[in-house]
Amino acid sequence: MTNSITEHSIREVIVKDISLYINGQFVPAKTGETFTNVNPFSNEHINNIAAGGIDDINEAVASAKKAFDTEWKDLEISERMKYINKIADLIEEEAEEIAYLEALDTGLPISQTRSQAARAATNFRFYAKMVETHLHGQAFPVEKEFINYTLHRPLGVVGLITPWNAPFMLETWKVAPALATGNTVILKPAELSPLSANKLAEIIDKAGLPKGVFNVVHGFGDTAGDALVKHPDVKAISFTGETVTGSIIIKNAADSLKKTSMELGGKSPLIIFDDADLDRALDATIWGIFSFNGERCTSNSRVFVHKKIKDEFIEKLKERVANIRIGDPLDASTELGPLIETQHFNKVKGYIELAKEEGCEVFQGTVPVQFKAGNYVPPTLLLNATNDMRVCQEEIFGPVMAVIEFEHEDEVIAVANDVKYGLAGFVWTQDLTRGHRVAQAIEAGMIWINSHNTRDLRIPFGGTKASGIGREGGHYAIFEFYTEPTVIHVAIGDHHIPQFGKKS
Ligand code: NAD
């Protein structure tokens, strides 16, 4: 079975085998090895991908280092930003193809990959503007003796390691600030979603960036990813992925004293008080867990509902869940598609079985029989859940939401925080004093009050506890991660200098 292209607007796209992109060339892996890329809708082969390894990483880093020293770091900002804006233009031109490739590769519904492609172009425009207007230093006059001023200089070669759940948007979320601030880049995309990363290489090639400024090495985490993390000439690693992988990367980066940024997993609470606008809370709750097929780091996988409204809210949840449109990811009306791969599909199904063993009542939508070849998990509610269950403590990363009853504010804050993660949180109440109080008590990097997960690119994005270390986004990315300050100390007067060894 192959995906059907159901919209006239989607062009026929021929998906070829994929090479690495190193020093401005599309090249095979030095070992000649490839791996197979599979379509989650049909579990059929899509194409073969060059499997990069240590020698490819070494070559990519050498070319990126040369490009940094000779071409990129000293380019005038206005010239660099022409390239960054050109990449944004080309992403916009190719947005439909990007959305198609991403839906084909990941199983994400095309209506959602379209908005991700648009966001990717915005990432480049945003950082072009941000760097041009905000990446300036400070001056510290010291009486009439000195002026100290700061410059924010790029780090050099940076490694960007990304996951498969929103690949193109997350890649550009890192590539845009890294390049705009003057670094050169090795991108190691997730092995399960290589198509749009290859498209990004084609776009950047077309934008005419100097050779070696941007490189893509496809391959596995424990080979290509590992070599990138350990390479002594790579100055920093920005990583998005699972918490366990993040911990391994931090350990491996330590030998070469690399800077790391960690965007990791989540198990975020959504709390609905009895005075909440239930219709809006319902829309946000359903979207927050079932968009991106539930494979969203900030998903509200634990929903806490006040005792007084629980029965009413659960009835509404069930009605919505039963109506979610499960379908072909390439159909624009599809709301829920297949999970990325069979191993992950089995993991998510295993958690649903575990929920039954732990005492949950499981309520699910129905996957139409014509989609049985794909990795479809129906939208699932785990009712009568308690926060101590494994299904409420571990990241499932699928369309599965635990529903937990609460009665008192203190109690719900305590259980919402009783989890190792701390990425996001959501509070629904008409009482804004309580909304702020509860939001401020939740241990998470980002909390929304009476809103779904929507965000401005200027905010600090990231999590606390096992959900991450450091923040990206806005000026946090450009000042705190992709550049470092250098202080220049200038004497402007004849200040006293100690005169060691001088004959009196
Ligand atoms: P993953 O950790 O399995 O893989 C992520 C990337 O790391 C891949 O490119 C992989 O090849 C690479 N990798 C694996 N082992 C490595 C190693 N030893 N050295 C170097 N690189 C290695 O994660 P995933 O399954 O692709 O993504 C899902 C996870 O990502 C979920 O936990 C999700 O919550 C998280 N995520 C977090 C955010 C956030 O912003 N906090 C955003 C999206 C996804």
Side-chain angles (χ1 to χ4, degrees), residues 20 22 27-33 50-60:
L20 314 179
I22 297 176
V27 293
K30 288 194 181 304
T31 58
E33 286 174 13
I54 188 163
D55 292 338
D56 306 289
I57 290 288
N58 287 344
E59 188 175 336

Side-chain angles (χ1 to χ4, degrees), residues 220-326:
F220 296 98
D222 54 6
T223 50
D226 184 70
L228 183 59
V229 169
K230 291 178 178 166
H231 199 296
D233 289 337
V234 173
K235 300 296 175 201
I237 295 285
S238 171
F239 171 75
T240 300
E242 283 188 6
T243 296
V244 173
T245 318
S247 163
I248 293 169
I249 289 177
I250 292 172
K251 288 181 197 121
N252 288 341
D255 280 343
S256 48
L257 296 172
K258 279 188 183 57
K259 193 173 184 181
T260 57
S261 168
M262 292 286 142
E263 305 279 359
L264 309 174
K267 192 76 182 176
S268 300
L270 185 151
I271 301 169
I272 308 174
F273 285 93
D274 54 346
D275 65 344
D277 178 336
L278 282 199
D279 289 336
R280 285 179 66 75
L282 180 68
D283 288 341
T285 307
I286 291 284
W287 181 87
I289 184 68
F290 299 122
S291 59
F292 281 23
N293 302 338
E295 299 162 323
R296 181 193 277 282
C297 56
T298 50
S299 76
N300 40 265
S301 48
R302 294 180 298 149
V303 60
F304 296 89
V305 190
H306 193 275
K307 194 176 177 179
K308 277 197 200 149
I309 52 156
K310 191 189 90 178
D311 290 345
E312 180 191 353
F313 196 72
I314 286 178
E315 280 319 301
K316 289 176 190 244
L317 281 175
K318 285 181 171 173
E319 197 185 327
R320 286 289 187 90
V321 161
N323 281 331
I324 283 179
R325 283 189 292 278
I326 301 171

Side-chain angles (χ1 to χ4, degrees), residues 26 36 77 88 98 110 150 200-203 238 269 305 327 388 407 421 436 482:
F26 288 91
T36 298
I77 285 201
I98 295 163
I110 194 156
T150 58
L200 184 60
E202 289 176 358
I203 283 173
S238 171
V305 190
D388 56 342
E407 191 169 3
Y421 295 105
H436 286 283
Y482 290 108

Side-chain angles (χ1 to χ4, degrees), residues 41 67 80 94 106 109 114 141 196 199 218 251 263 322-323 325 420:
F41 175 72
R80 201 159 72 222
E94 307 269 354
T106 62
R114 282 187 176 129
S196 56
K199 189 72 206 165
H218 297 280
K251 288 181 197 121
E263 305 279 359
N323 281 331
R325 283 189 292 278
K420 75 174 179 179

Side-chain angles (χ1 to χ4, degrees), residues 173-174 238 261 263 459-461 470-474 476-477 481-482:
W173 172 243
K174 295 181 189 299
S238 171
S261 168
E263 305 279 359
I459 66 159
F461 183 92
R471 297 291 183 272
E472 296 191 26
Y476 299 88
F481 191 69
Y482 290 108

Side-chain angles (χ1 to χ4, degrees), residues 1 40-43 326 338 342 345 349 367-377:
M1 196 192 292
F41 175 72
S42 61
N43 278 304
I326 301 171
T342 49
F345 166 72
K349 282 201 310 184
V367 178
V369 68
Q370 70 264 36
F371 300 132
K372 66 177 188 306
N375 307 324
Y376 283 90
V377 171

